[in-house]
Amino acid sequence: MNARTTGSLYAISDLHVSYADNRDLVDRLEPESDDDWLLVGGDVADLFGDVERTLKLLRGRFGTVVWAPGNHELWSHPSDPVQLRGTRRYEALVRMCQDNGVLTPEDPYPVWTGPDGPVVVASLFLLYDYSFRAPGTRTKEESLSKAYDAGVVCTDEMLLHPDPYPDRESWCWDRVARTETKLAAIDPALPTVLLSHWPLLRQPTDVLWYPEFAQWCGTERTADWHLRFRAAAAVYGHLHIPRTTHYDGVRFEEVSLGYPREWGRRGGPPLMPRRILAGAP
Ligand SMILES: [Fe+2]
Ligand SMILES: [Fe+2]
């Protein structure tokens, strides 16, 4: 067990630093204490080099940084000098994090030992499997074709390659199975904070403006994980709808920064990052 942590546990996601306004905000992001933890819930940037620069900067400021990948890190963007695809891209991102002292879903889960601790902080990489289907559809094919008809198609269809899996849902199902085994091995006496880019259950997507987008937002296979794995809080992003909600008595925190036009509409940049667990006073 670690020595007692005095810092707080903070979280943020969807930094999208390819936007200059977001980069400026991230450049000014400071912890309250050197001992604070920062959970980064994916969509840091589209380009590999930008992801590395940003995580390195944050690791230089926060005592502990834990990252979970979003769909944007996994894109093979035509303008990215790093053209790796699928699992090879993910593995390269993990190595880059490890070289920079940032924790990933592939590392042993760290334990936060602040006043409300000990709490196991589990970073999850799960992806989605199109099971959050569009309203009125029964199969993935129907759901996708409804999205194409509505003109609401996630860019992942073009840029997030599942290699060597045949499709993104197969990759998702493999990630879910491996992650479930790892979570089941946690000491059952300890609560968790579950960090993932995509929400663990469907309800958070009910407020999407375009319901067809939900199929790129998660998998029904994790619908009871917040209960099974004793979540004190489930932290996610991807929806760009920052808010706090409760499901089955468990706190869910959507911690997106989102695009400048989105936070601009809300009257300016949000107070960030969000405090998930408070450190010692
Ligand atoms: Fe995002
Ligand atoms: Fe995303």
Side-chain angles (χ1 to χ4, degrees), residues 14 16 43 70-72 197-198 237-240:
D14 298 78
H16 292 291
D43 281 7
N71 49 316
H72 281 248
H197 183 60
W198 299 273
H238 188 58
L239 306 185
H240 296 195

Side-chain angles (χ1 to χ4, degrees), residues 65-113:
V65 175
V66 184
W67 166 82
N71 49 316
H72 281 248
E73 283 95 334
L74 297 169
W75 282 2
S76 306
H77 199 280
S79 65
D80 195 338
V82 178
Q83 277 295 306
L84 294 168
R85 296 159 62 109
T87 57
R88 295 190 66 184
R89 185 174 186 89
Y90 172 62
E91 287 157 11
L93 285 159
V94 166
R95 272 196 304 278
M96 174 278 284
C97 284
Q98 290 170 339
D99 289 347
N100 286 296
V102 171
L103 297 170
T104 76
E106 306 312 311
D107 295 295
Y109 295 143
V111 180
W112 181 82
T113 54

Side-chain angles (χ1 to χ4, degrees), residues 131-180:
S131 54
F132 296 173
R133 298 201 205 298
T137 65
R138 284 162 307 165
T139 62
K140 176 192 169 185
E141 291 66 33
E142 282 179 22
S143 186
L144 256 185
S145 98
K146 193 162 179 189
Y148 274 93
D149 289 348
V152 180
V153 178
C154 184
T155 309
D156 293 3
E157 294 297 312
M158 279 64 78
L159 298 182
L160 201 167
H161 306 295
D163 317 19
Y165 296 92
D167 44 42
R168 280 171 291 278
E169 57 267 42
S170 303
W171 193 4
C172 167
W173 294 331
D174 190 30
R175 290 300 314 180
V176 168
R178 289 166 191 239
T179 306
E180 196 170 21

Side-chain angles (χ1 to χ4, degrees), residues 1 3 40 49 54 97 128 132 143 173 183 185 205 214 224 231 239 247 258 273:
M1 185 75 57
V40 182
T54 306
C97 284
Y128 50 81
F132 296 173
S143 186
W173 294 331
L183 288 170
T205 68
D224 64 352
L239 306 185
Y247 305 100

